[in-house]
Amino acid sequence: MVGDGRTVFLSYAEADEPWAVWVAWQLREAGYRPRLQAWHSVPGGNFVGWIRAELMAASCVMVILSPAYLDSKWCKAELNAALVDAVAGKKLLVPVRVAPCEAPPLLREIGRISLVDRSAADAHRVLVDGLMAATNGEAAPSAVAPGYPGYPGYPGAGDRGQPPRFPGPDNGELRLRLLGLVQEACKERHPEATVHGSHREGLFPYVDMSGERDGERRRWPVGISVNAPDAGAVEAFYNTVVQGTYLPLEPWPDSELVYLGEPPGEEVLRQARRRRVRLFSLAEFEGRWDPRRYLARQKERLADDAVYPPGLYVPQRFTVAQDALGRAVGDAGGPAVQRDVFAAMCDWLDVEQARFLLILGDFGHGKSFLLRELTRRLPDEVAQVAPLLVELRALEKTHSVDELLALHLTKLGEHGVDVRAVRAVRRMVEQGKVALLFDGFDELALRVTYDRAAEHLRTILAAVTGRAKVVLTSRSQHFLTDDQHRTELGDQARLAAASREVHLVDFDEEQIREFLVRLFHRQVAAEAVAGKFAHGDDAVSVEAARRAEVRLGLIRSIHDLLVGSEAASLRDGRTRRRRFHPSAGTAGAHPRSRPRATEHGAGSRAHPTPAVVLDPPPRRSLLTSSLL
């Protein structure tokens, strides 16, 4: 690495100069020597020469990554120069993301620092610690003792010499604020009822309600709790508020308790139902959807998925379609194969605008595995986005996005799924807070007519409004012909707003090896637990690698056999082509083995009889063939 190890050149777009200046100030305070145009490029100087000299002298190039940066030709030139030096090991390249944007493919493989949605203090810590880790080759533990983890990130954590102040708001103030919000929500939730006021004293403040409810004149309380209620809290609310104030007037009063904090478990909900107490988070009571309970169940279900175990996922390679013929982005119209479609999808979804991602791939390319991995990890990769994984086989008898969401949420155990709840979910979809991940369009299309499949596709595309994020997976044949021309369904998808068409490609040998090592590591570890393999962790890894190499050798043999068989089929096809005449017909032939006319078709003077080519047998992906 060149330089003194402390000189950092900041590459940024003009629109991001406030960010660059702020970052430079933090670096200078931390002992680095930041170099940037705003401070060091003087009028009358050769700007291009200054940039070149600074890039050569710097030990590290820090890229202020944003949409404006990616649109700037000057910034792209600086980035390309920095990438060349980074790949050669001459200097560090550290991307610093300051706004949601899609990183260029080569930059996705480089670890980055993200300042998006962070406070100033947190951004300073992440920036300085990240650069120190990049410079030293590993992250170092903090020199200050960590604060109590019950309240991570509270002000004063780690301060010496004086006790830290209590990080949370004053409970009395919080109770008053919550009571006021609940009282306002009661007017909208129960428009036919009367709000008689609120009672602020006692363990559970509450709003006194009366009016028409379920066809009868009723009285009931709406209590509040600044903490997540447990079974004891439910009993205390019932005994102090319901039984003491309302039970003498109502034989079986129905009451409501609005809480802050994490959703209670099923046992607490059962206890509340026995006391006819309905529990709501503040979001639910105000008519919004609270996705936390749904996400917890979804996470648990995917963690226990025996078909798609989380630890076995290997990121796929992919291409991105560009033009009406389905050709991929690349030089001279050729396909540009990129690595790690998972990281690319996270970047594509981490934007303000609407996004529709169509993921196409043949059998065995991991479309369903990709979507499950995205569902598992998206909440950690993209801030404040809740993924909903929907199996499209459930769409066969639904006719709108709202009906589909209602059916999906009901099947996954959501309570109280009604028109109000579905509309709340739909609003979160339009706001970009919920991402709809539809898996298996091909499974649906094979069971219905083409017109019905097209109708269902229009239903899915109808969800791409506002800032919605929608992902759809399918096998390629429903959207592309064998010649890679789009079908009518493909044209519908391409014309959708903010659409991206992604094609998964075959696994290479490195990916297959990685998958097999992970697979056999699980197997050997299970054998060790069962006492069949009495060795340490290192021995487990060595044995897993050995078994992977044995299986990889078998895969190579199978691949060679398939290639030889295909070559023989092609030779046999050429022999039969000389004997074939169109009048013989194709009755009984396999659909993929039927003859098709070449460019020298009927009417050509040079070839009055159409030349016919027999398609080779369909090929599975290398990884799929090896595991069957």
Side-chain angles (χ1 to χ4, degrees), residues 22-357:
W22 184 88
V23 168
W25 188 273
Q26 313 308 309
L27 297 183
R28 189 174 69 173
E29 292 292 304
Y32 291 92
R33 294 183 61 248
R35 304 287 296 176
L36 67 160
Q37 180 184 350
W39 288 355
H40 301 108
S41 177
V42 297
N46 186 331
F47 176 71
V48 176
W50 179 82
I51 291 286
R52 185 181 298 112
E54 293 293 338
L55 285 171
M56 292 179 61
S59 304
C60 171
V61 176
M62 182 169 282
V63 173
I64 306 300
L65 197 59
S66 70
Y69 187 91
L70 298 176
D71 289 338
S72 169
K73 294 182 180 179
W74 285 101
C75 293
K76 289 179 181 177
E78 294 173 15
L79 176 60
N80 289 336
L83 279 169
V84 171
D85 287 342
V87 171
K90 296 180 179 180
K91 62 176 81 265
L92 285 174
L93 174 60
V94 180
V96 177
R97 192 161 167 267
V98 299
C101 59
E102 301 175 13
L106 289 177
L107 210 56
R108 293 186 192 126
E109 301 183 15
I110 298 176
R112 64 195 178 197
I113 298 170
S114 179
L115 305 185
V116 178
D117 295 330
R118 295 186 184 275
S119 65
D122 192 29
H124 170 84
R125 177 186 60 80
V126 170
L127 175 69
V128 175
D129 289 353
L131 183 55
M132 289 181 62
T135 304
N136 300 330
E138 62 179 2
S142 173
V144 179
Y148 174 58
Y151 295 94
Y154 69 84
D159 287 349
R160 301 300 182 112
Q162 61 179 1
R165 70 175 181 84
F166 178 63
D170 177 74
N171 264 0
E173 179 186 348
L174 185 60
R175 280 154 57 107
L176 290 178
R177 289 181 58 196
L178 178 58
L179 187 62
L181 292 172
V182 168
Q183 186 166 339
E184 287 298 316
C186 284
K187 299 173 184 178
E188 297 182 8
R189 190 175 183 88
H190 304 292
E192 303 299 324
T194 302
V195 178
H196 294 285
S198 59
H199 296 257
R200 302 181 179 184
E201 304 301 324
L203 185 61
F204 292 95
Y206 65 93
V207 178
D208 184 19
M209 303 286 298
S210 70
E212 191 78 11
R213 194 174 186 185
D214 299 329
E216 297 179 348
R217 180 77 180 175
R218 310 293 296 272
R219 294 181 62 89
W220 73 95
V222 181
I224 66 163
S225 172
V226 295
N227 300 306
D230 55 16
V234 171
E235 281 297 302
F237 172 70
Y238 180 80
N239 292 332
T240 59
V241 176
V242 180
Q243 192 171 41
T245 305
Y246 290 85
L247 197 59
L249 305 175
E250 295 279 347
W252 283 343
D254 291 301
S255 55
E256 297 166 323
L257 180 60
V258 182
Y259 62 86
L260 301 179
E262 292 299 313
E266 289 298 325
E267 183 58 38
V268 177
L269 293 175
R270 280 194 292 270
Q271 174 70 12
R273 284 195 294 269
R274 294 189 188 104
R275 293 301 193 182
R276 302 187 72 83
V277 177
R278 297 189 65 187
L279 302 181
F280 297 93
S281 69
L282 178 60
E284 291 170 330
F285 195 76
E286 290 181 329
R288 294 174 284 132
W289 183 52
D290 188 342
R292 292 176 296 175
R293 187 177 286 111
Y294 169 89
L295 291 177
R297 282 196 300 268
Q298 181 173 253
K299 183 177 181 180
E300 181 179 357
R301 177 170 56 90
L302 293 176
D304 296 335
D305 194 332
V307 179
Y308 302 100
L312 294 187
Y313 174 75
V314 176
Q316 299 98 321
R317 302 183 302 154
F318 68 102
T319 61
V320 181
Q322 174 177 269
D323 57 25
L325 297 179
R327 292 182 301 210
V329 175
D331 295 335
V337 177
Q338 305 178 43
R339 304 193 71 85
D340 201 346
V341 68
F342 173 85
M345 290 177 68
C346 288
D347 280 345
W348 287 329
L349 295 174
D350 191 11
V351 293
E352 285 293 321
Q353 311 95 297
R355 273 286 185 263
F356 174 66
L357 304 183

Side-chain angles (χ1 to χ4, degrees), residues 438-486:
F438 294 109
D439 186 35
F441 181 83
D442 49 292
E443 297 182 27
L444 167 69
L446 289 173
R447 298 198 312 271
V448 300
T449 64
Y450 184 89
D451 290 340
R452 178 59 65 86
E455 179 183 347
H456 289 320
L457 180 61
R458 287 191 291 271
T459 296
I460 294 170
L461 294 179
V464 189
T465 58
R467 290 175 284 171
K469 310 293 187 292
V470 179
V471 181
L472 174 66
T473 69
S474 176
R475 295 191 194 178
S476 304
Q477 63 262 33
H478 299 291
F479 294 88
L480 297 172
T481 67
D482 288 341
D483 294 326
Q484 298 301 296
H485 287 73
R486 285 192 178 89

